[in-house]
Amino acid sequence: GIRCPALLMTAEVVRGAIVTPQIAAEVQQLNPLIRVAQVADSGHDIYRDNLDGFLAVVKDFLASLDRPTGGQA
């Protein structure tokens, strides 16, 4: 499996998102290194629907990679 941090970005199902909160929770249970982040005001095409929200989530995720997590590398 994946042994590095990963980001699963989700959106609002009512706006066309494919990944439901239930699916995201299942994915995270399978691999705790996966961070799930929902971008508000977006649907299937997250970056086009809410570019600022998309960039904020990506920047936060990338910045977190520089912070120690206390876990194994």
Side-chain angles (χ1 to χ4, degrees):
I2 298 172
R3 298 186 51 96
C4 65
L7 175 64
L8 173 59
M9 197 176 303
T10 65
E12 298 175 13
V13 175
V14 296
R15 293 188 62 171
I18 296 170
V19 178
T20 65
Q22 294 81 9
I23 292 172
E26 289 177 30
V27 169
Q28 201 166 35
Q29 283 183 331
L30 292 171
N31 186 343
L33 292 176
I34 294 177
R35 181 194 296 184
V36 176
Q38 183 175 23
V39 178
D41 301 322
S42 64
H44 176 70
D45 204 354
I46 296 172
Y47 74 94
R48 291 177 106 185
D49 293 340
N50 184 350
L51 181 59
D52 290 337
F54 173 86
L55 292 173
V57 167
V58 171
K59 287 178 183 179
D60 184 58
F61 174 72
L62 293 175
S64 75
L65 299 179
D66 291 335
R67 294 184 284 234
T69 60
Q72 294 179 341

